[in-house]
Amino acid sequence: MTEAATGSRAETHRPPRVASIDAGRPFLPTLVSALLDGDLVPSFRWDGRDPTALADALILVPTRRAARGLEAAFLAAITERGGPAATLLPAIRPFGDVDADEDLFADEGEGEPVASPLERRLVMARLVLSWTRALAGTLINPRTAAPPSLPASPAEAVRLSTALLTLMDQVVSQGVDWRRLDDLVPEEHAAYWQMTRAFLAIVADTWPKHLAERGLADPAVRRHAAVRREAARLAAKPPKGPVIAAGSTGSVPSTAELIGVVARLEQGAAVLPGLDFDLDEEAWGLLEPESGDPVPGHPQYGLRLLLDGLGMTRADVRRLGGVPEQAARLRLLSECLRPPETSDRWAGFAAEIAAKTFPLDRALDGLALIEAKSEGEEALAVALALREVVEDPAKTAALVTPDRVLARRVATELGRWGLEIDDSAGQPFGHTRAALLARLV
């Protein structure tokens, strides 16, 4: 057996090192402090003087935005500790970009160009329209003799193809085989299901054939294959410095594999975001029971699967930074989100509140509820709250919302007072000044 293979096997069987940072703590600064102080990887501690000591470290984070934020957190911590003015930071990469330069050295057959986002959308829209023309005449409702409602215009096909691409990427990320669709519903049942199956054949059969004809690779397939190759590379030849996988729940199988490899390295560690230590064992077990239905909609479901895959329990996970000051609020959120099968325990929690053994006032401190009558009133209320914060130089504020319409409304309201905000989600091209001018022309 070769030396590399022996090292790989030794690293693979090492117990995983996993920690968690509670939701009440700033994730990136806490992560940086734990690494510098030696609390995360015991064999590594920054002495505050060597400007190259951090250069051998590798930190994997979920997104490029998180990578930029982590760089800023390192610079702030080094400055605060009086470190060298010129310091080499760790290599910080998003999980999906772990081997962005690998194509330069790929073996034959592994370096196919990737289909561009524009080509994916245009080709998928064309395939949807082709499917409509081919099958619309054969799929007639047997009762009404009417054809099914299918995308007939290019605009409808583009919208449907976008949703189809999203579904395709989700299936690829979970490693599911499209052929399993054939076993879900018998052939003689559900005519509309058979139509759906024929429609999904666009991504199951036609799209792979198109890629093969063009000599292209699907970006989602390439991305997850790259993550798995990085996991194999780290297991076979571990770096000499610390390796940290931070901020991911491991909901994607390829990412979970990479986290498992990193956590078992001699100088590796995985840092989870906000593992719930307050949820009782019965409720925790119901998230993924041995028999019965799981609760995939619970925010801790992905972390439960990740710990199961690592062969760990919550008791094996260390809490970086200790229990936060917002411990009461975390307990309240945990109770609100407990699985339905254990909601009968709310009665006991209500008794704790009534007996003053649970500090409800502390849990709700700083929270406010505003019931708006309309979307415009909602945006105005948020804008006023942000404006109040701006008047105090010592305070900062942020609006976190998945509703892009609300975000734009709030930005418009603030603009009336001469306040310009940084929308991290960007601005749709159609709303830029150049695009507005083009539309008016």
Side-chain angles (χ1 to χ4, degrees):
M1 182 178 293
T2 65
E3 181 179 354
T6 304
S8 175
R9 176 170 295 182
E11 295 292 348
T12 301
H13 288 80
R14 179 195 172 281
R17 181 184 291 115
V18 181
S20 176
I21 298 176
D22 285 296
R25 292 192 173 278
F27 188 88
L28 296 180
T30 303
L31 172 64
V32 171
S33 296
L35 178 62
L36 298 181
D37 295 337
D39 296 334
L40 188 54
V41 179
S43 60
F44 177 85
R45 183 185 180 89
W46 188 59
D47 60 8
R49 296 185 300 273
D50 187 357
T52 64
L54 296 172
D56 293 330
L58 170 63
I59 304 179
L60 303 175
V61 292
T63 63
R64 290 187 177 91
R65 185 184 301 175
R68 293 192 296 269
L70 185 56
E71 290 179 0
F74 266 108
L75 293 175
I78 292 172
T79 302
E80 182 181 352
R81 295 166 185 245
T87 303
L88 295 178
L89 298 182
I92 304 174
R93 306 176 188 168
F95 281 99
D97 290 350
V98 287
D99 56 352
D101 300 328
E102 185 182 15
D103 290 341
L104 297 175
F105 310 99
D107 295 334
E108 185 177 355
E110 294 183 353
E112 303 93 342
V114 176
S116 67
L118 179 60
E119 179 176 2
R120 294 177 86 214
R121 293 191 65 181
L122 293 179
V123 171
M124 196 63 70
R126 179 170 57 82
L127 294 176
V128 169
L129 286 176
S130 299
W131 176 83
T132 301
R133 290 193 295 266
L135 297 181
T138 61
L139 298 174
I140 302 298
N141 191 310
R143 293 185 178 181
T144 63
S149 177
L150 297 173
S153 69
E156 292 174 335
V158 168
R159 284 194 293 270
L160 187 56
S161 66
T162 301
L164 196 57
L165 287 170
T166 300
L167 174 63
M168 183 175 69
D169 291 344
Q170 291 173 345
V171 170
V172 170
S173 69
Q174 296 301 321
V176 179
D177 190 347
W178 285 103
R179 289 175 293 183
R180 294 178 59 185
L181 289 170
D182 298 336
D183 303 327
L184 292 180
V185 180
E187 290 284 346
E188 64 272 13
H189 292 163
Y192 271 96
W193 168 248
Q194 303 306 329
M195 182 179 70
T196 301
R197 240 177 46 173
F199 176 70
L200 292 178
I202 295 174
V203 292
D205 301 325
T206 311
W207 174 249
K209 292 178 181 178
H210 168 79
L211 292 177
E213 292 175 358
R214 296 265 294 145
L216 299 174
D218 186 87
V221 174
R222 173 70 65 85
R223 187 183 311 115
H224 297 295
V227 174
R228 289 189 168 93
R229 284 196 297 271
E230 178 70 3
R233 185 187 68 80
L234 290 174
K237 189 177 180 180
K240 63 179 181 179
V243 183
I244 313 298
S248 174
T249 62
S251 57
V252 177
S254 60
T255 304
E257 293 177 19
L258 178 57
I259 292 174
V261 169
V262 170
R264 289 183 173 90
L265 295 177
E266 186 64 31
Q267 294 194 83
V271 182
L272 308 181
L275 180 64
D276 188 351
F277 292 94
D278 294 313
L279 193 63
D280 57 85
E281 287 299 327
E282 179 187 359
W284 180 259
L286 289 173
L287 297 181
E288 181 67 15
E290 296 182 0
S291 62
D293 296 330
V295 190
H298 195 279
Q300 294 287 311
Y301 179 74
L303 294 175
R304 166 65 198 272
L305 292 184
L306 180 60
L307 292 181
D308 287 350
L310 294 172
M312 302 180 65
T313 65
R314 287 183 295 174
D316 302 322
V317 180
R318 294 186 301 119
R319 301 176 83 163
L320 295 181
V323 180
E325 297 180 358
Q326 300 89 343
R329 182 172 299 177
L330 295 180
R331 166 78 190 287
L332 177 62
L333 291 174
S334 178
E335 289 291 340
C336 292
L337 298 174
R338 69 167 45 252
E341 292 82 356
T342 63
S343 58
D344 57 313
R345 298 201 175 188
W346 280 340
F349 184 60
E352 291 184 41
I353 296 176
K356 304 295 185 180
T357 57
F358 176 77
L360 183 62
D361 293 341
R362 188 186 308 169
L364 298 177
D365 183 36
L367 295 181
L369 172 65
I370 300 176
E371 296 182 0
K373 297 179 180 178
S374 63
E375 294 180 352
E377 188 175 285
E378 177 187 23
L380 180 58
V382 174
L384 286 171
L386 294 175
R387 182 182 179 181
E388 288 183 0
V389 174
V390 172
E391 294 177 353
D392 188 343
K395 294 182 178 180
T396 59
L399 170 62
V400 181
T401 176
D403 189 345
R404 297 301 309 143
V405 175
L406 174 61
R408 287 194 289 268
R409 284 176 177 268
V410 172
T412 301
E413 295 290 347
L414 291 174
R416 295 177 179 176
W417 302 319
L419 298 175
E420 295 186 6
I421 61 173
D422 178 19
D423 191 345
S424 60
Q427 185 180 23
F429 178 72
H431 293 179
T432 62
R433 294 184 177 181
L436 290 176
L437 175 60
R439 288 166 58 185
L440 290 173
V441 171

